[in-house]
Amino acid sequence: MSHAPSQPSHSSGPTGTPLLGDTVGANLARAVRAFPEREALVECATGRRWTYARFAADVDAVALGLRAKGVGRGDRVGIWAPNRAEWTLTQYATAKLGAILVTVNPAYRSHELEYVLNQAGVRLLVAARQFKSSDYAAMVDEVRPRCAALTDVVLLDGPDWDELLLTGRQGDPAVLAGIGAELSADDPINVQYTSGTTGFPKGATLSHRNILNNGYFVGELCGYTEQDRICLPVPFYHCFGMVMGNLAATSHGACTVIPAPAFDAPATLAAVAAESCTSLYGVPTMFIAELADPDFDSYDLSSLRTGIMAGAPCPIEVMKDVIGRMGMTEVSICYGMTETSPVSTQTRADDSIERRVSTVGRVGPHLEVKVVDPATGRTVPRGDTGELCTRGYSVMLGYWGEPERTAEVIDPDGWMHTGDLAVMDEDGYLSITGRSKDMVIRGGENLYPREIEEFLYTHPDVLDVQVIGVPDARYGEELMAWVRMREGARPLTAEAVREYCTGRLAHFKIPRYVHVVDEFPMTVTGKIRKVEMREQAARLLGG
């Protein structure tokens, strides 16, 4: 029986709403003129609140304070702190100066901090004094003598920040208007270090145009207006917080709510209830923790309408609970990476639950995606697996100071090669089937961990599961499942898993090894570190 040939796995996003051509500063000014008395920012830990008018005045004060310290267009300003209002103020202040904000992962230790400060040539660093077990001030003191470009450090919670604000408030805001008139939307304003799974992290360099448009269109697809209040328990130092959160909010006159300096499930639920948040962001592990909170039912989450789940594939049962128990009927799944500002594909509010749990949606406005054969670079037919590539306004300017590494991922035609395996269906919806390097080849069979993980999520005792490939003398690779158990459940054995899977999964897809853990090794952004899991597995199995 012959089939009509499938169309190629290529899709372009809608272009009905034009791209924004302004800078972050000019875009913020528009929101301030339209909504001066609406709330822009709420910090739950301290009870501090900013209307758009007050927020703009404080942004200007920080910008003028930084300028008084000699910071100008193109200078790199680092920020190293957990989520807090000063982080957001610094984000917008540097954008107004045309300075380049270098976001430093709060989990970094001194050697990683030193690498980033030197690699980006950071001139001034804004840093928290301490948070939890991290003594940031001591680590800054330790690395400072070895960071040639670093001339200034401004510590939060003390005289440094207060003086910066005081100086800035005495400055002339008209100066900023003059600077703004000279800036271009194509100027770089952000360097974000992507956690290198091998070697040192790379600094993705992003422009006003990259991140402002991405935040704006993510917000458009969430249906944001000035009535929305977005709860952000995701880290600001990453695109999820500062672009999909902060820039999506200010480009729509909406309010951002910071529930806590770092993720805390009860604090997040309390913030949604107290601030009547309409939207909540998180990686799947955050939603899993919120839904498992023993007091979950005591929080009034009736204000929630939408939100974004991203950063890792969403288990089907979790999505159903987010919609059913949290009331996030319009919750959106986003897929992206730092190098693409970050979002390339997104589900829409009217997509079925089935679409939202089995795909990462369709390509976003003004973007293109295609799925290619990694070996030949040719676009594969719809329904076939290949590497996902994306092109458009969102693709980064490049890796900071590393043209060779940039050329490895952005081809001469402007396509960003993501390293993720994907399948596009006939309607243009994409499913991510894994990282090209996560694919397991067992006895000649290509196995995609995601498919096996989704099946194991249906086990009543399994809270969370990750599947990896481990070396095997006979088959080349074997499957190993790392499992987090539900509270009170007995740890699963390999025999129990085999029994559960037999007859329901092909025999070669059944994990040979099972390892029960309390937590998975994670990056701070909530991505599972499968590289680390494979290293640990080799030791566990005596490899």
Side-chain angles (χ1 to χ4, degrees):
M1 172 178 157
S2 65
H3 289 283
S6 177
Q7 57 179 324
S9 296
H10 174 277
S11 180
S12 299
T15 56
T17 304
L19 283 164
L20 299 176
D22 45 9
T23 61
V24 167
N27 187 264
L28 175 64
R30 258 203 272 173
V32 175
R33 284 194 298 273
F35 311 111
E37 296 312 311
R38 289 201 74 86
E39 275 191 333
L41 180 63
V42 175
E43 185 180 77
C44 295
T46 60
R48 295 183 295 168
R49 293 172 182 273
W50 284 259
T51 61
Y52 266 90
R54 184 184 163 206
F55 180 72
D58 279 1
V59 164
D60 285 358
V62 175
L64 289 165
L66 290 170
R67 185 173 177 273
K69 287 185 174 289
V71 173
R73 184 175 178 176
D75 285 336
R76 272 78 70 204
V77 173
I79 183 150
W80 193 33
N83 285 13
R84 52 185 297 164
E86 288 81 2
W87 206 112
T88 309
L89 293 169
T90 303
Q91 176 185 343
Y92 287 84
T94 48
K96 289 195 84 161
L97 290 173
I100 298 172
L101 185 70
V102 178
T103 60
V104 185
N105 183 328
Y108 275 1
R109 288 296 176 257
S110 48
H111 72 284
E112 296 152 315
L113 172 70
E114 182 179 339
Y115 174 78
V116 164
L117 294 178
N118 281 324
Q119 206 274 329
V122 169
R123 175 176 177 171
L124 181 146
L125 176 66
V126 176
R129 288 180 177 277
Q130 61 183 82
F131 181 65
K132 292 187 175 171
S133 62
S134 295
D135 186 339
Y136 293 127
M139 285 187 270
V140 172
D141 285 345
E142 180 191 332
V143 305
R144 197 169 177 174
R146 299 190 295 275
C147 298
L150 188 64
T151 57
D152 250 308
V153 175
V154 174
L155 292 178
L156 300 174
D157 299 316
D160 293 5
W161 181 259
D162 296 344
E163 282 167 25
L164 182 89
L165 273 178
L166 190 63
T167 304
R169 288 200 174 105
Q170 291 163 352
D172 180 4
V175 171
L176 293 175
I179 293 170
E182 299 295 310
L183 301 180
S184 158
D186 295 310
D187 290 342
I189 52 159
N190 186 209
V191 174
Q192 295 198 30
Y193 282 84
T194 66
S195 43
T197 44
T198 54
F200 282 112
K202 306 179 288 283
T205 308
L206 305 171
S207 65
H208 292 268
R209 173 181 162 86
N210 285 150
I211 58 177
L212 177 59
N213 276 291
N214 204 262
Y216 174 68
F217 282 108
V218 164
E220 285 289 284
L221 293 185
C222 287
Y224 287 157
T225 70
E226 70 276 11
Q227 304 292 332
D228 280 288
R229 298 172 70 80
I230 308 166
C231 183
L232 292 181
V234 295
F236 284 166
Y237 84 87
H238 186 264
C239 277
F240 202 170
M242 68 170 284
V243 178
M244 298 157 71
N246 294 342
L247 287 168
T250 56
S251 61
H252 290 89
C255 177
T256 52
V257 174
I258 307 173
F263 176 66
D264 177 293
T268 301
L269 294 166
V272 170
E275 296 296 330
S276 301
C277 294
T278 57
S279 178
L280 172 61
Y281 288 10
V283 296
T285 47
M286 292 179 178
F287 285 104
I288 288 169
E290 287 152 13
L291 288 158
D293 187 281
D295 298 319
F296 178 85
D297 292 327
S298 69
Y299 296 100
D300 178 2
L301 308 180
S302 59
S303 56
L304 282 175
R305 166 182 71 81
T306 187
I308 294 177
M309 204 181 304
C314 170
I316 289 168
E317 297 308 313
V318 177
M319 171 61 88
K320 286 179 177 165
D321 278 349
V322 164
I323 292 171
R325 295 180 62 206
M326 298 180 102
M328 292 167 58
T329 51
E330 297 175 26
V331 66
S332 185
I333 294 284
C334 289
Y335 162 80
M337 60 197 308
T338 308
E339 290 89 339
T340 55
S341 306
V343 176
S344 298
T345 73
Q346 187 172 353
T347 60
R348 313 311 204 245
D350 56 357
D351 282 337
S352 67
I353 293 185
E354 178 53 37
R355 291 278 200 208
R356 283 184 273 182
V357 294
S358 60
T359 79
V360 290
R362 290 171 285 154
V363 63
H366 298 278
L367 298 173
E368 284 179 276
V369 291
K370 65 177 179 177
V371 180
V372 304
D373 180 325
T376 65
R378 282 198 291 271
T379 304
V380 301
R382 295 198 179 191
D384 287 8
T385 299
E387 183 186 13
L388 181 60
C389 300
T390 184
R391 178 166 74 174
Y393 75 82
S394 68
V395 175
M396 66 174 177
L397 302 178
Y399 292 123
W400 184 266
E402 298 192 90
E404 305 80 15
R405 291 176 92 177
T406 304
E408 287 167 13
V409 295
I410 301 176
D411 69 25
D413 295 318
W415 288 97
M416 172 78 203
H417 291 251
T418 66
D420 284 320
L421 295 167
V423 177
M424 184 183 291
D425 72 12
E426 294 301 332
D427 297 316
Y429 286 83
L430 283 153
S431 300
I432 303 297
T433 53
R435 291 290 291 168
S436 49
K437 56 180 177 289
D438 284 344
M439 188 176 79
V440 178
I441 304 174
R442 181 194 181 275
E445 294 278 359
N446 288 0
L447 305 180
Y448 300 107
R450 172 80 197 270
E451 178 194 356
I452 300 155
E453 288 161 1
E454 286 290 3
F455 176 74
L456 292 176
Y457 272 118
T458 64
H459 192 292
D461 294 338
V462 169
L463 178 66
D464 207 350
V465 59
Q466 294 292 324
V467 171
I468 57 171
V470 293
D472 182 77
R474 183 173 173 198
Y475 292 106
E477 285 188 289
E478 263 292 7
L479 294 171
M480 180 181 199
W482 286 42
V483 180
R484 292 172 61 208
M485 307 302 300
R486 290 194 182 279
E487 209 161 311
R490 285 171 52 196
L492 277 177
T493 61
E495 290 71 28
V497 167
R498 194 170 305 118
E499 199 175 306
Y500 185 73
C501 296
T502 299
R504 300 164 76 190
L505 268 190
H507 71 90
F508 55 83
K509 295 180 184 174
I510 299 175
R512 181 170 170 193
Y513 306 105
V514 174
H515 179 46
V516 175
V517 293
D518 291 331
E519 295 294 339
F520 301 126
M522 305 272 252
T523 67
V524 175
T525 47
K527 285 194 169 62
I528 310 286
R529 282 188 53 82
K530 286 198 169 180
V531 170
E532 198 175 312
M533 289 168 68
R534 283 191 282 268
E535 289 166 0
Q536 288 186 34
R539 290 195 295 273
L540 285 166
L541 300 172

